[in-house]
Amino acid sequence: MPPHPPSPTPPPPPFYIEDAEDVGPSAVAAGETAASCAGRGRGGWVGALRAVVANAVEIGADVASHWGKKIWRRLQSHQDPQVYYRHLMTVATNYEQWAAAGQALDRLQGKNKWKSEVASPDYDYRLVQDRLAQLRIARESGDLASMIFILRTSLNRNLGDMGNPRLYSHTHVGTKRLIENYIEEVTRQLNLICDTETDDFNAAAKYEFFTNTQKTLGRTALLLSGGAALGVLFDVEVLIETMRLNINDLTFQAIFVQRYYGDITIVPSIGLSDFAQLISNPNAAMMTAYTIAGERATWKEVSFIKNHCQVEMAIDEIIYRLRVKRFKGVQLADQPQSAKGKGALKRKIGGFTAIEQEPSTTTLFSRGTQRMPSM
C-alpha cells in the first residue's frame, strides 16, 4: 500500500502579537498594519515600524500624563505642613529663614506650650522666678539703689542652672519664656542704670560698677579644636580683626587648646566622603562647602549663644558708651554753653533723670539692649 503524502506545513502568520488584550488596541492596530504591510517589501516594513513607534510614543505620553497628574494631586492634597517646614529648614540659606521655619514648626508641634510653662526639672525655676520678681519691683518703684544692689550681688550667667543645654534641646528656636524674660529684664536695667543721672551715682561710679560687674560675670572665649586651631595659629590677627568687624569694637579673646567640649559645642555634620578629603589639598569649593556646613551647624545653637552672651555683650556695649560719653564731655567743655546738651532727650524715671541716646547702630544682639551712640 503506497504511503500517504506528507501534509503541507502551514505558512507562518505574517505578524504575531502575544497577549493582544494586555497590549491595547493601539498595539493591535499596529500589528494589523504591519500584517497588512507584509509582502510589500522593504518599504512596507519601514512604514509598519514607524506606526509602531508612533503608537509607543502615544502610549508613553498617556502613562506619563497619568502619573504626573497623580503625583501633582498627591502634592496638593498633602495634609502634613511639618514636612514642608522641615524642608524649608533644610534648604534655608541664612539663619533668618531657618529660624522662621523653626518657629513655625515649634508652633505646629505644640512646643510653644513648653516654652510658656515655668516648671521644669532641668533648672531651678523658683530661684529665677524670685530674682525676676525682685528686679521688676525695684525697677517699677524707681529704686536705683536696689537695682544696683541686686545686680551687683546676684548677677550670674548660669543662675539656677538656666544654662543647662537640655533647656535648648526641646525646641528648634528659643527656650523657657522665664529665662528669656529674666535676661531681658537684666539687660534693660543695666541700660537704665547707665542712662540715669543722679548725684549719688556719677559717671565714675557707673564706670566702676560696670567694669566690676564685667569681671564678676566673666568673659566668653572662642576655642578652636584640632585642625581649626592649627589653621589660624599662624595668622591670629586676621581672625581677631574678622571677629571685630562682626561684633563692632568689643574686645575679642581667642584661646587655642586641644579641647573637644565647652559650654556651647558646635560640631558640623561630617559624612564619609569628607574623610577622603583629609589626604587632599583643599580648594576654594571645598572651603566654601565646609564654611556653609559650619554656619548651618551654628544656627541650632544661636538661642543658646544669645542667652549665654546677651548680658555680657550689653555690659561691653555700656562700657563703650560710657567711654564715648566721657570723650564727648571733654569736647563739650570747649564749646559755647548754648551748644551743650543737644542730641539727647531727658525724661523722668522714678525720681531720676534718664537720657535717651541718639539713634545709631546696634550690636549683634540688639533686642532688649540700648543702642550704641554714634561717634
Side-chain angles (χ1 to χ4, degrees), residues 71-284:
I71 293 173
W72 177 250
R73 286 193 298 267
R74 175 68 62 85
L75 292 175
Q76 284 186 322
S77 61
H78 208 300
Q79 300 298 322
D80 187 5
Q82 295 187 30
V83 176
Y84 170 72
Y85 287 111
R86 288 195 189 97
H87 173 72
L88 289 183
M89 295 179 70
T90 302
V91 300
T93 58
N94 54 57
Y95 174 72
E96 288 73 18
Q97 296 176 357
W98 186 90
Q103 289 173 342
L105 199 56
D106 285 344
R107 184 177 63 254
L108 291 172
Q109 294 176 345
K111 294 182 178 179
N112 286 343
K113 180 181 179 182
W114 179 88
K115 296 178 183 179
S116 300
E117 294 173 348
V118 174
S120 172
D122 296 329
Y123 75 120
D124 189 350
Y125 63 91
R126 292 186 179 88
L127 176 60
V128 179
Q129 201 171 31
D130 292 343
R131 197 60 47 81
L132 176 60
Q134 294 174 9
L135 288 170
R136 285 176 172 172
I137 292 173
R139 174 177 55 82
E140 292 170 357
S141 63
D143 192 346
L144 185 67
S146 294
M147 288 188 288
I148 294 173
F149 176 79
I150 296 172
L151 292 173
R152 175 177 287 165
T153 58
S154 63
L155 185 59
N156 188 341
R157 193 192 301 268
N158 194 28
L159 178 68
D161 202 22
M162 65 182 187
N164 189 339
R166 288 193 295 269
L167 292 169
Y168 299 87
S169 62
H170 294 277
T171 62
H172 297 92
V173 180
T175 184
K176 292 290 188 181
R177 305 292 188 199
L178 175 61
I179 296 175
E180 295 175 349
N181 292 338
Y182 171 78
I183 295 174
E184 295 291 341
E185 184 65 29
V186 169
T187 305
R188 179 179 182 180
Q189 292 198 21
L190 289 171
N191 284 280
L192 183 61
I193 293 171
C194 175
D195 298 335
T196 301
E197 292 182 347
T198 174
D199 295 336
D200 299 331
F201 198 61
N202 55 25
K206 289 180 184 179
Y207 189 80
E208 182 182 3
F209 165 73
F210 284 109
T211 53
N212 290 336
T213 303
Q214 182 186 62
K215 294 176 182 178
T216 303
L217 187 67
R219 308 299 300 276
T220 299
L222 174 65
L223 287 80
L224 304 180
S225 176
L230 296 176
V232 298
L233 271 177
F234 299 99
D235 204 350
V236 177
E237 294 299 326
V238 174
L239 176 62
I240 294 176
E241 184 62 26
T242 302
M243 295 298 295
R244 280 176 175 165
L245 290 174
N246 284 277
I247 59 176
N248 295 328
D249 197 30
L250 301 180
T251 301
F252 175 75
Q253 298 178 354
I255 302 176
F256 303 96
V257 295
Q258 191 68 23
R259 185 183 176 191
Y260 295 94
Y261 66 93
D263 295 316
I264 302 173
T265 304
I266 300 173
V267 181
S269 177
I270 300 176
L272 294 177
S273 60
D274 296 320
F275 289 96
Q277 307 295 334
L278 294 175
I279 58 176
S280 62
N281 292 325
N283 51 43

Side-chain angles (χ1 to χ4, degrees), residues 12-17 27-28 30-36 38 45 48 52:
F15 197 83
Y16 178 75
I17 299 177
V28 175
E32 293 175 353
T33 303
S36 63
W45 281 106
V52 172

